[in-house]
Amino acid sequence: MNQPLNGKKVAILVTDDFEQAELASPKEALETAGVTVHILSDKSGEVQGMNHDEKADLFVIDGAIEDADPSAYDAVLLPGGVVNADAIRMNQRARAFVQAMDRSGKPLAVICHGSWLLISAGLIKGRTLTAWPSLQDDIRNAGGEWLDQEVVRDGNWVSSRKPDDLPAFNQAFLELLGSEQTERKAA
């Protein structure tokens, strides 16, 4: 990494029942690199992590999605987990948050089912990404291209399929966050 990431701020948007590894691993990698990370939710207090279909740890929420200002963040991370992703995609403020981040050309990092929020926000058309394989039809139907790869980078987006891909995803996200060039690839 050529640039220190001290001073950067990343928002993680989640609700209950997110895939814990997809929040915890990138959060740890970001914080180790000097990034301030805020967990934002539509819940208050804590959110429930999951290890696949088993309850895991609780995570303290740093703020409400409803009150969050996208301009205060340098990037956004969207963990997966079917229940989390299906619920948060229906949150109008979460959709507006990712739309604002994308309009600004700021990095969007998405794993697994987290892509559902980007689909519901109308951001997929013309984009190339990866996600959990069962989302490939959703992505294609929304006008995007789905690739079965560990990590896909498309302009200011970086995406990954599953927890096994986290080492490569974390590295790609840190590189994207540290790069000066995070502008959207021309369609």
Side-chain angles (χ1 to χ4, degrees):
M1 184 74 44
N2 295 339
Q3 295 177 288
L5 297 179
N6 291 336
K8 299 271 186 181
K9 280 177 57 176
V10 172
I12 302 176
L13 304 187
V14 292
T15 192
D16 282 326
D17 301 330
F18 57 91
E19 185 65 38
Q20 181 165 314
E22 297 171 0
L23 180 146
S25 177
K27 182 177 187 290
E28 179 181 355
L30 290 163
E31 290 174 341
T32 298
V35 177
T36 299
V37 179
H38 291 160
I39 298 173
L40 305 178
S41 182
D42 59 346
K43 305 289 181 189
S44 59
E46 298 175 321
V47 283
Q48 179 70 57
M50 301 291 287
N51 287 327
H52 306 291
D53 61 351
E54 301 287 327
K55 289 194 184 295
D57 298 326
L58 294 171
F59 287 75
V60 174
I61 296 165
D62 297 303
I65 294 172
E66 181 177 313
D67 299 329
D69 177 3
S71 68
Y73 293 93
D74 298 295
V76 63
L77 170 65
L78 306 174
V82 175
V83 174
N84 163 69
D86 192 48
I88 205 160
R89 74 186 299 186
M90 300 309 297
N91 181 309
Q92 176 56 41
R93 186 62 183 124
R95 291 191 306 262
F97 191 98
V98 295
Q99 289 165 341
M101 295 296 282
D102 193 53
R103 270 192 312 274
S104 298
K106 293 179 179 179
L108 276 83
V110 59
I111 311 168
C112 195
H113 286 79
S115 302
W116 273 341
L117 177 56
L118 302 177
I119 292 168
S120 292
L123 297 175
I124 295 290
K125 189 173 183 176
R127 301 308 294 251
T128 300
L129 65 156
T130 192
W132 187 254
S134 66
L135 272 67
Q136 63 184 296
D137 290 342
D138 298 335
I139 290 168
R140 289 179 182 129
N141 289 338
E145 180 181 357
W146 179 83
L147 301 176
D148 188 13
Q149 296 177 3
E150 162 176 84
V151 173
V152 173
R153 167 102 184 258
D154 180 0
N156 62 313
W157 288 20
V158 63
S159 57
S160 201
R161 301 171 300 193
K162 57 189 175 184
D164 289 346
D165 299 336
L166 283 167
F169 173 80
N170 291 343
Q171 182 62 37
F173 186 23
L174 289 170
E175 289 171 4
L176 177 60
L177 189 56
S179 73
E180 290 295 321
Q181 182 64 286
T182 58
E183 296 171 81
R184 182 175 175 178
K185 181 171 95 173

